[in-house]
Amino acid sequence: MPLLVYAQIPASPEFTQPNCAECLPSDSSQVTGNYGFYSPVRGFNAGLTVSGVHDSATGWATMATPFVSYSFNRIFSLDATLPVYMYRLAESRYLRPSPQAHLVTRRGKPTDIIFGMNAQFFPALLSYRVTAAVTAPTGDQEYGLSTGRVTYDVNHHFERSFRRFTPKLELGVGDSSNLVNRAVTRHYTSLGPLAHFQVGFILDLFHGAYFQGEAYEQLPIGDQKIYGYSRRRKATVVTGHNVSEDNGFISSLDIPVNRHTTLSGYYSHSLRLRTDIAAIGVSYILRTPVPIEDIPLDDLFR
């Protein structure tokens, strides 16, 4: 399942992008599973994101997302993430639940653990990052948190910074929605080949705060299986060619409290599923680079 809040790692002079002195790092894939650029700290790192999430379909949930990572240098890194629902409302597994018991409380439900392999490059015109991710089936299949199989995804991220404004584009392919748009929460997991696309921007505000907006499309390219909640101790499976298609919009705002802690707000709207999701959370990162001097606020309006 996705992560719902972002944590910014401040830029470091050691990892400043060549030929682009004012380019900003977007977000940390070490924490969020997103595919933006970041300034890694060499060696091991760790962090935790805790968020409260409201889904228009099921109500409130609380999520904890620890991560560990290892950066070999400014180019190559590895990470592992395990999102856990500390509290969520899920469909009852009774065959004929009463209207008052249609949703039941579940606590301490892990999703699939996600392993990521990352490489980022900084040519003259566009910054480029490729991420290969795989999952281990540790999630609860009966509640649609796992397909019960190993899944994969490969994502290509491109961006170009113009002082405080950074357009970005993502193209990817994989075999599960579990690894697509991890900032979008879902109550199901899909299995089957699909392509995904995102286009958006990052706006650097002041004192390390930044806003992100993007549109996304998840497009099946073969037969799909949807694993949803179960009422017979076995995951409900829906098969079809377009059953996992989704598209919509995502926006987020990140405000650093200090070098290690970031407050985040998030909103997404699915056009196809007609659902709205809002989240607020806090992220803590153990090791961060030394921040560079911030650009004056007046430059934002020039």
Side-chain angles (χ1 to χ4, degrees), residues 35-98:
Y35 303 112
F37 294 84
Y38 64 97
S39 297
V41 176
R42 293 179 188 269
F44 286 100
N45 204 354
L48 174 67
T49 295
V50 178
S51 57
V53 185
H54 185 270
D55 190 314
S56 60
T58 59
W60 284 99
T62 303
M63 202 171 196
T65 308
F67 87 94
V68 294
S69 69
Y70 185 85
S71 295
F72 299 94
N73 48 46
R74 68 184 300 273
I75 302 297
F76 300 104
S77 64
L78 303 173
D79 58 70
T81 307
L82 179 59
V84 178
Y85 280 102
M86 305 305 295
Y87 168 87
R88 72 189 291 255
L89 295 174
E91 295 277 1
S92 172
R93 292 188 304 193
Y94 289 105
L95 294 179
R96 295 179 179 85
S98 64

Side-chain angles (χ1 to χ4, degrees), residues 73-274:
N73 48 46
R74 68 184 300 273
I75 302 297
F76 300 104
S77 64
L78 303 173
D79 58 70
T81 307
L82 179 59
V84 178
Y85 280 102
M86 305 305 295
Y87 168 87
R88 72 189 291 255
L89 295 174
E91 295 277 1
S92 172
R93 292 188 304 193
Y94 289 105
L95 294 179
R96 295 179 179 85
S98 64
Q100 295 79 14
H102 186 68
L103 295 176
V104 295
T105 300
R106 306 300 298 172
R107 291 183 171 87
K109 289 294 182 179
T111 66
D112 287 352
I113 188 170
I114 303 169
F115 300 96
M117 296 158 282
N118 317 286
Q120 57 186 19
F121 306 93
F122 304 98
L125 296 180
L126 287 175
S127 300
Y128 168 65
R129 177 178 173 88
V130 58
T131 298
V134 296
T135 65
T138 56
D140 190 337
Q141 189 174 353
E142 295 178 358
Y143 281 94
L145 300 182
S146 175
T147 64
R149 303 182 186 182
V150 174
T151 58
Y152 78 93
D153 186 81
V154 178
N155 190 82
H156 304 274
H157 177 108
F158 306 87
E159 65 180 52
R160 172 71 183 275
S161 292
F162 302 92
R163 296 184 66 81
R164 291 183 175 270
F165 182 74
T166 304
K168 62 177 182 175
L169 170 69
E170 293 184 10
L171 308 170
V173 63
D175 68 350
S176 176
S177 62
N178 216 17
L179 291 169
V180 178
N181 287 325
R182 291 185 231 164
V184 179
T185 186
R186 300 178 178 88
H187 301 290
Y188 68 89
T189 297
S190 73
L191 182 66
L194 52 85
H196 52 91
F197 316 92
Q198 288 179 235
V199 60
F201 66 91
I202 307 163
L203 181 62
D204 186 25
L205 300 177
F206 52 89
H207 300 300
Y210 64 99
F211 175 83
Q212 295 191 71
E214 58 191 349
Y216 71 89
E217 171 70 32
Q218 177 180 304
L219 186 63
I221 53 177
D223 288 336
Q224 306 285 306
K225 290 184 178 180
I226 295 292
Y227 292 78
Y229 64 92
S230 170
R231 291 182 179 171
R232 291 183 174 86
R233 298 286 177 177
K234 184 178 180 182
T236 301
V237 179
V238 179
T239 303
H241 188 76
N242 293 319
V243 292
S244 64
E245 183 176 356
D246 190 20
N247 49 56
F249 302 95
I250 304 171
S251 61
S252 65
L253 176 65
D254 299 83
I255 304 175
V257 178
N258 52 45
R259 287 181 54 196
H260 300 274
T261 307
T262 299
L263 298 178
S264 303
Y266 163 91
Y267 171 78
S268 73
H269 175 71
S270 171
L271 297 174
R272 187 173 182 85
L273 302 179
R274 298 181 180 178

Side-chain angles (χ1 to χ4, degrees), residues 9-13 15 39-41 259 287-291:
I9 300 181
S12 166
F15 297 107
S39 297
V41 176
R259 287 181 54 196
R287 301 174 61 217
T288 62
V290 178

